[in-house]
Amino acid sequence: MSISAIRYRPGLLELLDQRRLPREEHWIGCVDVEHVAEAIRDMAVRGAPAIAIAAAYGMVLAVHRGVPRARARSLLLAARPTAVNLRWALERLDKVSDKRIEAEAKAIHDEDLGTNRAIGMHGASLMPPGNVLTICNTGALATGGWGTALGVVRSMVCQGRPVHVYACETRPYLQGARLTAWECQREGIPCTLIADGMAAALMRERRVSAVIVGADRVAANGDVANKIGTYSLAVLARFHDLPFFVAFPRSTLDLRCPSGAHIPIEERPAEELTTLRGVPIAPAGQRVWNPAFDITPADLVHAWITEDGAWTPESG
Ligand code: MRU
């Protein structure tokens, strides 16, 4: 039980085009690194671990086509700046020869599923009884399978626990409405969609007993960069006395980054806010601020969950 959105065979990377979900399941084929970088930048593939896997295969395609590694590296790194998993994957490939690079990229892909299952297991053991609130898509679509935050919910469902996930629609790109709702429907995970502005009322009515989110980069001090709106949920969770969990693979931890203040935050095109499916919803020429991520300070986090287990402010 878990969708796979990334397929590779020598010379061809295929990606389930997440821009077109849930309306159609369309796969795009990438044969060169330029196309992979474009797919990452334009969000055909998204979610930190999935970006890392795609970038790894992009580097393989570059090597096979004789593109200098340094050029491929800078193309891929520039595609999306916040998810550190991308850099992690490229640094892992830096350590292997051209001959071994394809095997190493496949290993990055294959290992991700096991990593996520371990995150799911550790996370499920921590979650209080009751429903959970999440944001963005952190499921199989965002990873090599299973998922991180949504993977924890998937693990709870597999254990037969009576859990229901509330998914924030995740303005402006709507990963929650388009992707999480689709994935949950497909895979039998009970899910209710809410608009982002409904989270406070949901908590006040005690319809959820925890919040769980993924991460694009976790700084050495525990600050978390994740989808815009995550910080609001953390503040709301603290106000309503609900635990706020963050689930991510070790490859999301950036020990070179001392705090959230050092994490580069991607800003995305104004049209993501001023239009809906190409239809204008704001006056022409409207000025916009559209950061794709925000920083949740470590002191709002109840526990950080990885494949190695969980750590809490008390465990240090
Ligand atoms: O802009 P996106 O859709 O790539 O943002 C994704 C997120 O913010 C996820 O929460 C994060 O990458 C973790 S995915 C397992």
Side-chain angles (χ1 to χ4, degrees):
M1 175 180 92
S2 170
I3 298 153
S4 173
I6 304 175
R7 300 194 292 233
Y8 175 82
R9 60 189 147 90
L12 179 67
L13 172 65
E14 291 183 298
L15 301 168
L16 178 59
D17 190 343
Q18 300 193 28
R19 297 166 299 190
R20 299 219 202 173
L21 289 173
R23 288 172 306 154
E24 54 176 328
E25 288 174 45
H26 174 81
W27 288 78
I28 54 172
C30 303
V31 294
D32 55 39
V33 63
E34 287 81 6
H35 201 171
V36 177
E38 188 185 305
I40 294 172
R41 192 185 56 242
D42 295 349
M43 313 263 280
V45 57
R46 33 65 50 203
I51 289 172
I53 296 164
Y57 286 128
M59 185 58 96
V60 174
L61 294 173
V63 165
H64 285 178
R65 288 181 156 249
V67 177
R69 283 204 196 203
R71 178 174 142 66
R73 201 176 203 288
S74 52
L75 260 177
L76 291 164
L77 276 176
R80 292 199 75 192
T82 304
V84 74
N85 309 59
L86 197 164
R87 186 185 81 197
W88 166 86
L90 296 181
E91 287 181 351
R92 197 166 145 176
L93 297 183
D94 283 346
K95 298 195 185 94
V96 302
S97 66
D98 287 358
K99 226 170 137 194
R100 290 255 331 123
I101 199 163
E102 186 171 281
E104 191 66 11
K106 281 185 182 157
I108 288 172
H109 189 178
D110 294 345
E111 285 165 20
D112 195 56
L113 183 60
T115 297
N116 290 333
R117 282 179 173 270
I119 293 170
M121 186 189 70
H122 292 304
S125 69
L126 276 181
M127 298 299 283
N131 301 328
V132 298
L133 175 62
T134 194
I135 188 167
C136 199
N137 172 266
T138 58
L141 288 170
T143 62
W146 204 261
T148 57
L150 193 61
V152 170
V153 179
R154 191 187 306 272
S155 297
M156 293 167 79
V157 171
C158 287
Q159 290 168 4
R161 287 175 57 179
V163 64
H164 194 103
V165 62
Y166 282 86
C168 288
E169 63 173 349
T170 318
R171 280 284 292 154
Y173 207 73
L174 301 174
Q175 290 95 329
R178 295 189 304 103
L179 307 176
T180 298
W182 180 80
E183 185 172 331
C184 287
Q185 275 195 17
R186 276 281 288 251
E187 306 205 339
I189 299 172
C191 173
T192 296
L193 180 63
I194 62 164
D196 298 347
M198 297 169 187
L202 187 87
M203 293 185 195
R204 183 150 192 102
E205 289 196 8
R206 309 312 282 183
R207 286 172 185 260
V208 289
S209 50
V211 180
I212 188 162
V213 301
D216 281 77
R217 194 183 298 221
V218 178
N221 72 342
D223 289 352
V224 175
N226 191 50
K227 181 51 53 195
I228 190 75
T230 300
Y231 175 42
S232 312
L233 295 184
V235 171
L236 287 173
R238 173 62 54 90
F239 183 81
H240 292 94
D241 203 20
L242 293 171
F244 180 87
F245 298 102
V246 187
F248 56 92
R250 239 183 356 246
S251 53
T252 303
L253 186 59
D254 185 2
L255 294 176
R256 289 181 230 163
C257 216
S259 77
H262 298 83
I263 299 178
I265 300 292
E266 173 187 7
E267 290 205 21
R268 297 204 46 93
E271 292 70 39
E272 288 181 2
L273 261 170
T274 57
T275 63
L276 257 186
R277 293 255 170 252
V279 178
I281 55 167
Q286 179 56 47
R287 191 178 306 160
V288 155
W289 180 54
N290 185 19
F293 303 98
D294 58 24
I295 303 291
T296 298
D299 58 8
L300 293 178
V301 178
H302 194 82
W304 296 258
I305 303 159
T306 74
E307 63 270 42
D308 299 325
W311 85 94
T312 60
E314 296 75 44
S315 60

